[in-house]
Amino acid sequence: EGLSCLLKSRSESSNMSGLQVAPSSPKVNHLLFADDSLLFFKANSMGATEVNLVLDRYCQASGQRINYNKSSVYFSKGVPDSIRTEVKTVLQVPNETLNEKYLGMPSDIGSSKSGAFKYLKDRLWSKCKGGLRAQCLQQAKRFW
């Protein structure tokens, strides 16, 4: 909660304003779940420095520490290698990866949303065709 408040307080900054999924949606500069954190900021040294300041402040206040070996950075397409290197150096995060899935959802959707979520549709359809339909029929028979 403390980290979230610190990040929200920086949402007015042009470097940490976050991203918007639609014109009418709010901007999001972080997503937190259990011990995982996703931070969204501009890929430049000022953005990385601002993130560092927030994280340092949080660590000082909470006593928690960041495991930089388990941390990684993911860049949008088109970010030059020089900027990537600069941001990773400022953040002290050597890894440049993003898992294929995060919390069971695809992390890099791209422009083909139907392809990215096809597995959900297929999985749901297989459950409707198979086991769930049979279970529903068995339950219905018990009531009749």
Side-chain angles (χ1 to χ4, degrees):
E1 199 170 312
L3 178 58
S4 184
C5 287
L6 284 172
L7 292 165
K8 283 179 187 176
S9 73
R10 297 292 184 134
S11 65
E12 297 299 318
S13 162
S14 63
N15 292 308
M16 290 191 64
S17 60
L19 57 90
Q20 216 171 356
V21 294
S24 61
S25 68
K27 289 185 177 183
V28 176
N29 70 355
H30 67 282
L31 296 173
L32 306 175
F33 181 77
D35 63 347
D36 284 343
S37 305
L38 293 174
L39 310 180
F40 306 102
F41 60 95
K42 289 205 174 162
N44 58 35
S45 61
M46 292 184 341
T49 300
E50 196 165 347
V51 166
N52 249 356
L53 291 172
V54 170
L55 293 176
D56 285 344
R57 188 172 176 193
Y58 174 74
C59 288
Q60 288 173 3
S62 69
Q64 294 181 329
R65 298 288 168 246
I66 297 167
N67 186 340
Y68 291 102
N69 292 325
K70 287 185 175 181
S71 301
S72 63
V73 180
Y74 181 74
F75 295 94
S76 299
K77 293 177 179 125
V79 175
D81 287 338
S82 60
I83 300 291
R84 291 172 186 250
T85 302
E86 188 177 350
V87 168
K88 289 189 293 185
T89 301
V90 169
L91 292 175
Q92 303 169 21
V93 175
N95 305 319
E96 187 179 328
T97 59
L98 184 65
N99 294 333
E100 191 175 308
K101 289 186 179 180
Y102 181 73
L103 301 178
M105 299 299 290
S107 53
D108 188 13
I109 295 172
S111 60
S112 174
K113 288 165 187 51
S114 61
F117 293 103
K118 184 180 184 314
Y119 80 96
L120 283 176
K121 180 182 171 189
D122 293 345
R123 192 167 160 204
L124 181 62
W125 182 245
S126 70
K127 289 194 183 279
C128 289
K129 289 192 317 188
L132 282 180
R133 186 172 179 196
Q135 284 179 339
C136 291
L137 289 173
Q138 286 177 346
Q139 291 292 330
K141 286 179 184 177
R142 287 183 192 166
F143 287 110
W144 301 105

